[in-house]
Amino acid sequence: MEKKEQFFLKIYNLGIIKFGNFTLKSGMNSPIYIDFRPIASRPDLLIKLSDLLLHEVPSTNFELICGVPYAALPIATTLSLRSNIPLIIKRKENKGYGTKRMIEGIYKKGQNCLLIEDVITSGDSLLKTVIDLEKEGLIIKDIMSILDREQGGIENIKKRGYNIRTLFRIGEVLKMLEKKHFLKKKERHMIKFFFKKKNIKNFKKKRLSYEEKKENIYHPIGKKLLDITLKKKTNLIVSADLVCSKNILKLVNLIGDLICGLKLHVDIINDFSLSFINQLKNISIEKNFLLFEDRKLCDVGPTNYLQLHYGIHKISSWADIITAHVLAGSDSIQNLKIPSSMGLVTISEMSSYGRLSDDNYIRKALNISLKNTKVIGTVAQRKIDDKLLLFTPGINFSSLKKNHFGNTYIHPLQAFEKNGSDFIIVGKAIYESNNPKIEAEKYRNAGWKAYENVLLMEYK
Ligand code: 5BU
């Protein structure tokens, strides 16, 4: 233990633990951020670390070593060099050209592979790697992590039948750092807070109610959408992807009472006119829902500005919400002169099959969204910061529709439970059905039930 302690104090001095307010990959907030990457620049410490890991591996019955990308790569490499056991490299995403392999190196199906993870929180990203390796026919029995944040990850992995061990546990190391007077007063305070939170539901991020969300959202349109949702008890936005204005009006008359928003693609409407929009606007006021133009602005700022305010659609004159990609960077949505009565919904991660956005892009898109005061929320397929509303398209009850015409579909329950959605967006499943009203009722009820279930589940 002494040896391990000494070692930890050395790596601590490299700045591997940071104190502040961080959002982790899983979407959880944390006052502590741990990053082992600086060790890559210290060969002496890398060697010590891999020797400690080798000493504690659950068994020595493995023929390959693999690190969870990217932080564990240099550590796994050193382990391979120290033990003379071959390394394989797991890619985060396939390179899209050449062999398109997800795993590089020499290996055979049926070989036993030791997996190395740096920090384990929920265990979700570790499980993704395990699944990818197993898909290649490799056998994963043993997993070694450097530090366990003690937030349920180890139990989660063990439950699935893997042997997992960790070199350090957050509780132990923080206590040790305190004992050795390595921590400042403020840091000690943060740790106390950390432990308090940790005892509640494994520090799991709880789902905020719509009422609580309202406190977090400053934009009037964001608040208005939440008010409507609460009043009408519906988080359903219907996507009326119809090409004839008469049919849109017909649909809206049927389902207007059941929705908090109506999503349009005005550029697909054959007989678009501002008088049609006026009629729609009147119904939206009468039935109390917002008009959501899914324009997906995606150009440089000045062009986005023109597309928003001019042309035959004059979107800014009637839409309550408009969507925009942030592919062109934060400035592209900065000076759009959006009316104060209109909110922006960014697209951080589409629901489409084979979407190109990776974790890095999504993180940057979410950051841009958080910093822009016009943005009320975003489209993403994961949990996001509570200061944004989360819109989820690609909703269908039927599992047969999992991958249909390039879109992927999930059940409303999954949207709320897994992704932390606030609003479900449903198109074809409603407007193509024989009875859109009944179908809209079903989706409305399912969306609301899913929301209530998640509230209960996490408030336990
Ligand atoms: P569907 O019929 O339920 O598949 O309709 C989904 C709607 O949401 C459709 O208008 C799409 O253009 C829109 N959409 C989507 O499907 N996925 C996304 O990531 C985004 C929008 Br952003």
Side-chain angles (χ1 to χ4, degrees):
M1 185 59 199
E2 185 58 19
K3 215 168 137 197
K4 266 170 67 174
E5 265 192 15
Q6 289 304 325
F7 173 77
F8 197 87
L9 293 178
K10 276 193 191 145
I11 57 172
Y12 179 73
N13 283 329
L14 297 179
I16 59 157
I17 301 187
K18 293 195 168 45
F19 297 88
N21 188 5
F22 304 96
T23 304
L24 306 180
K25 198 156 56 180
S26 56
M28 295 176 194
N29 291 327
S30 168
I32 297 172
Y33 184 70
I34 303 152
D35 178 12
F36 284 104
R37 287 178 187 84
I39 300 183
S41 312
R42 285 286 303 268
D44 57 328
L45 296 180
L46 260 184
I47 289 174
K48 277 210 182 101
L49 174 59
S50 54
D51 288 353
L52 284 172
L53 285 168
L54 276 175
H55 189 69
E56 301 221 7
V57 282
S59 91
T60 48
N61 182 23
F62 51 90
E63 303 153 273
L64 297 165
I65 297 178
C66 181
V68 176
Y70 293 104
L73 282 188
I75 301 159
T77 309
T78 316
L79 231 91
S80 161
L81 293 170
R82 296 294 281 175
S83 62
N84 226 2
I85 293 171
L87 177 82
I88 52 170
I89 303 167
K90 158 81 180 55
R91 288 182 174 278
K92 253 196 169 167
E93 45 293 300
N94 86 42
K95 48 190 172 155
Y97 58 87
T99 55
K100 295 193 181 168
R101 284 159 64 117
M102 282 302 279
I103 296 165
E104 305 288 348
I106 302 166
Y107 62 90
K108 279 194 271 186
K109 280 192 175 152
Q111 276 186 308
N112 245 309
C113 180
L114 169 71
L115 194 56
I116 309 294
E117 171 70 302
D118 59 341
V119 182
I120 177 155
T121 308
S122 66
D124 286 352
S125 66
L126 179 60
L127 272 177
K128 257 193 221 157
T129 305
V130 171
I131 290 165
D132 284 344
L133 293 172
E134 286 176 341
K135 266 192 210 153
E136 296 292 317
L138 293 168
I139 297 168
I140 311 293
K141 277 195 194 135
D142 302 316
I143 303 169
M144 200 58 220
S145 95
I146 307 176
L147 188 130
D148 174 21
R149 288 185 60 117
E150 298 179 284
Q151 285 165 240
I154 294 266
E155 293 72 20
N156 196 1
I157 303 286
K158 275 191 181 158
K159 247 190 344 217
R160 288 171 162 81
Y162 302 98
N163 298 321
I164 178 160
R165 253 191 222 166
T166 183
L167 209 49
F168 300 105
R169 281 173 225 285
I170 190 75
E172 272 166 27
V173 299
L174 289 177
K175 269 184 205 134
M176 191 249 300
L177 291 171
E178 193 169 357
K179 207 171 91 195
K180 302 255 175 198
H181 307 292
F182 270 61
L183 301 176
K184 298 182 192 118
K185 198 172 161 203
K186 197 171 148 210
E187 293 169 347
R188 284 205 304 273
H189 179 76
M190 282 176 156
I191 289 166
K192 270 208 192 106
F193 170 79
F194 176 82
F195 277 114
K196 238 204 238 152
K197 278 266 226 186
K198 200 155 72 67
N199 289 337
I200 313 167
K201 304 175 248 115
N202 269 336
F203 196 40
K204 209 174 169 201
K205 188 180 175 186
K206 68 176 172 65
R207 147 104 232 175
L208 294 191
S209 65
Y210 289 127
E211 287 89 345
E212 286 169 311
K213 276 238 147 173
K214 242 180 85 184
E215 304 294 308
N216 278 351
I217 308 284
Y218 299 113
H219 195 289
I221 285 294
K223 283 193 190 289
K224 189 166 174 190
L225 183 59
L226 288 164
D227 278 336
I228 295 174
T229 292
L230 283 165
K231 185 155 185 234
K232 294 172 76 176
K233 285 197 174 6
T234 175
N235 48 44
L236 172 65
I237 295 173
V238 164
S239 187
D241 298 336
L242 299 163
V243 296
C244 172
S245 59
K246 194 174 82 220
N247 291 341
I248 298 178
L249 292 171
K250 198 169 144 202
L251 177 74
V252 168
N253 276 317
L254 285 173
I255 57 150
D257 292 328
L258 303 166
I259 59 175
C260 59
L262 183 79
K263 192 174 82 63
L264 298 166
H265 286 288
V266 271
D267 50 358
I268 64 168
I269 303 172
N270 285 326
D271 55 344
F272 176 86
S273 67
L274 288 175
S275 90
F276 154 69
I277 283 292
N278 279 338
Q279 289 180 64
L280 200 57
K281 192 82 192 166
N282 285 339
I283 304 174
S284 80
I285 294 166
E286 183 202 324
K287 297 200 179 269
N288 199 18
F289 60 82
L290 297 185
L291 289 182
F292 191 131
E293 167 52 22
D294 194 3
R295 176 61 182 79
K296 299 191 180 71
L297 301 170
C298 189
D299 214 310
V300 293
T303 307
N304 282 341
Y305 168 80
L306 293 170
Q307 289 172 328
L308 173 63
H309 297 281
Y310 294 90
I312 57 167
H313 300 120
K314 301 199 186 356
I315 298 166
S316 62
S317 70
W318 53 268
D320 300 303
I321 295 172
I322 183 168
T323 54
H325 282 287
V326 292
L327 185 69
S330 61
D331 284 1
S332 67
I333 56 161
Q334 198 59 54
N335 297 309
L336 298 181
K337 301 203 171 52
I338 294 178
S340 57
S341 57
M342 186 176 183
L344 204 55
V345 168
T346 58
I347 296 156
S348 302
E349 182 181 19
M350 293 189 69
S351 62
S352 50
Y353 180 77
R355 53 185 173 260
L356 295 181
S357 48
D358 56 17
D359 286 351
N360 203 19
Y361 177 85
I362 296 159
R363 207 171 305 130
K364 287 191 213 166
L366 291 172
N367 273 335
I368 290 176
S369 311
L370 278 166
K371 285 189 186 134
N372 188 312
T373 54
K374 295 284 175 192
V375 174
I376 63 164
T378 198
V379 172
Q381 315 304 319
R382 57 187 65 205
K383 290 200 169 79
I384 56 161
D385 196 289
D386 285 330
K387 291 190 189 70
L388 293 170
L389 298 173
L390 181 61
F391 297 84
T392 309
I395 295 285
N396 202 297
F397 289 143
S398 162
S399 56
L400 291 175
K401 289 271 166 71
K402 273 223 160 84
N403 175 3
H404 191 65
F405 295 121
N407 213 351
T408 60
Y409 290 92
I410 53 173
H411 192 279
L413 247 183
Q414 207 185 341
F416 279 86
E417 268 181 23
K418 198 163 151 269
N419 298 355
S421 179
D422 293 309
F423 300 97
I424 50 170
I425 300 178
V426 186
K428 286 181 226 38
I430 291 174
Y431 67 76
E432 274 185 359
S433 77
N434 292 334
N435 195 332
K437 187 166 182 202
I438 292 199
E439 220 46 37
E441 239 155 27
K442 285 186 193 157
Y443 278 93
R444 180 260 194 123
N445 294 343
W448 195 256
K449 202 166 142 208
Y451 160 72
E452 288 190 326
N453 272 355
V454 175
L455 269 188
L456 286 176
M457 243 168 62
E458 299 199 355
Y459 275 118
K460 233 184 238 168

